[in-house]
Amino acid sequence: MKRGIVVLLLVLLTAGFSFAAGNAEKEVSSEPIVLRLAETHGADYPTTQGDYEFARLVEERTNGRIKIEVYPGSQLGEERAVIEQVQFGAIDFTRVSISPLAAFAPDFNALQMPYLYRSPEHMWEVLNSPIGDEFLNSLEPSGFVGLSWFDSGARSFYNSVRPIKTVADLAGLKIRVQESALMVGLVEALGAVATPMPFGEVYSAIQTGVIDGAENNWPSYYSTSHYEVAGFYTLDEHTRVPEITIASKMSMDKLSSEDQKIIKQAAKDSMAFQIKAWADYEKVAEDAVIANGNEIYRLPDNSEFQAAMQPLYDALSPDLQKVVAKVRAVGK
Ligand code: BDP
């Protein structure tokens, strides 16, 4: 009987030891945590360069414990579909335009209204103010953690049919917009026909005449080769739409609060790198498009365009009108 108990104890003890040893081993040789970030643009594009910088900082600051793998070129899907996957944790991070994000968090429309910012500096002052942080934090109930902002210049119209010099020139043109209700309204307010479509489908849609044009900044006009099939570019600069990096709240909740802090800080610290890369690439894109012989027209004055878009402001909810007023007051 006594011997039986001793044997039983021994068995239990060895089992306990090997269990403890197993655990210790797991901790020592623990694999890095690998997280995925989805990006629409190709590897050389300035937002993707910003993503790589973010990933580099996270890896460095966690001594390699956390690796963020960047998937450029829409490998994980187009923006809207990617945002959905981030929402339910299938993708950990993405860098997107706030336009498609506004379908999930409608308040973001207040940050992409036409002619909202007086200048690029004004936009940065807003994003770096408590308003910017309030927007980043507002995403949590929708299942996202807002991390940081990237530059995206100003968006303007391009098409394959005719130069646009006045609002009347836009009449009846079929213009692709992002998958965003606000952008549909914006194009319709100018008398054109809005066609929402994923970014990756725009080139062939212009080439085959399904649409006449689209709207975007210099870098995207160039990097997508849209400038080859839509030769008229009018610099009306109707919107400045910030880029944003978001994390899946489900993915973040699995990490320690210390690691969450490192990730948030690394994202903020990658902004300066992207903003510089943006300025450099914007110049490269502009030079290349001009060298290609495209017809570029800069609106001498945007008041006609601005007046045509006023109904979009009138249609905003009273709450968003207040946010717009706060944005406009920054730096005044
Ligand atoms: C580019 C943004 C990209 C958007 C794209 C678009 O960087 O995130 O998806 O515009 O128009 O400027 O869809």
Side-chain angles (χ1 to χ4, degrees), residues 16 25 168:
E25 206 175 287

Side-chain angles (χ1 to χ4, degrees), residues 145 147 247-255 260 263-264:
V145 179
L147 297 177
S248 168
K249 185 160 163 25
M250 285 176 80
S251 305
M252 285 290 260
D253 285 348
K254 289 185 197 145
L255 301 172
Q260 293 182 23
I263 287 173
K264 285 182 180 175

Side-chain angles (χ1 to χ4, degrees), residues 39-41 45 47 78-79 95-100 151-152 155 158 176-179 197-200 202 214-217 219-221 224 226 241-243 278:
E39 169 62 68
T40 298
H41 294 293
Y45 199 85
T47 54
E78 295 278 359
E79 288 192 339
R95 190 292 313 161
V96 287
S97 162
I98 66 164
S99 277
D151 205 350
S152 188
R155 297 177 77 102
Y158 49 80
R176 175 268 174 176
V177 289
Q178 290 160 291
E179 289 169 279
M197 180 184 288
F199 195 43
V202 181
E215 44 84 60
N216 223 312
N217 46 47
S220 280
Y221 181 44
T224 53
H226 293 174
V241 182
E243 313 277 20
W278 180 266

Side-chain angles (χ1 to χ4, degrees), residues 109 112-115 167 181-191 302-318 320-321 324 328:
N109 282 325
Q112 56 162 347
M113 295 300 287
Y115 300 113
V167 171
L182 184 85
M183 292 301 146
V184 169
L186 185 151
V187 161
E188 286 175 350
L190 296 168
N302 61 33
S303 54
E304 194 207 357
F305 278 67
Q306 210 171 332
M309 296 186 218
Q310 182 55 38
L312 297 180
Y313 280 92
D314 302 339
L316 284 180
S317 70
L320 289 199
Q321 294 200 5
V324 164
R328 287 205 156 133

Side-chain angles (χ1 to χ4, degrees), residues 162-170 234 295 297 299-300 304-305:
R162 55 179 174 256
I164 295 163
K165 298 190 172 172
T166 65
V167 171
D169 294 328
L170 271 158
T234 292
E295 201 175 315
Y297 181 75
L299 281 190
E304 194 207 357
F305 278 67

Side-chain angles (χ1 to χ4, degrees), residues 131-154:
I131 302 179
D133 286 334
E134 273 166 37
F135 267 95
L136 293 178
N137 296 336
S138 74
L139 287 168
E140 297 224 356
S142 316
F144 310 107
V145 179
L147 297 177
S148 57
W149 310 101
F150 280 170
D151 205 350
S152 188

Side-chain angles (χ1 to χ4, degrees), residues 32-37 50-70 93 147-148 245 247 252 255 258-270:
I33 301 171
V34 179
L35 302 169
R36 299 190 304 162
L37 185 152
D51 303 336
Y52 288 133
E53 176 64 4
F54 165 50
R56 189 188 70 77
L57 291 173
V58 171
E59 192 165 342
E60 184 179 277
R61 292 173 187 181
T62 59
N63 298 316
R65 274 188 306 105
I66 302 184
K67 272 188 193 308
I68 298 181
E69 286 176 347
V70 176
F93 300 94
L147 297 177
S148 57
T245 300
M252 285 290 260
L255 301 172
E258 193 48 42
D259 285 345
Q260 293 182 23
K261 258 192 230 151
I262 292 176
I263 287 173
K264 285 182 180 175
Q265 193 56 46
K268 289 253 173 168
D269 292 345
S270 69

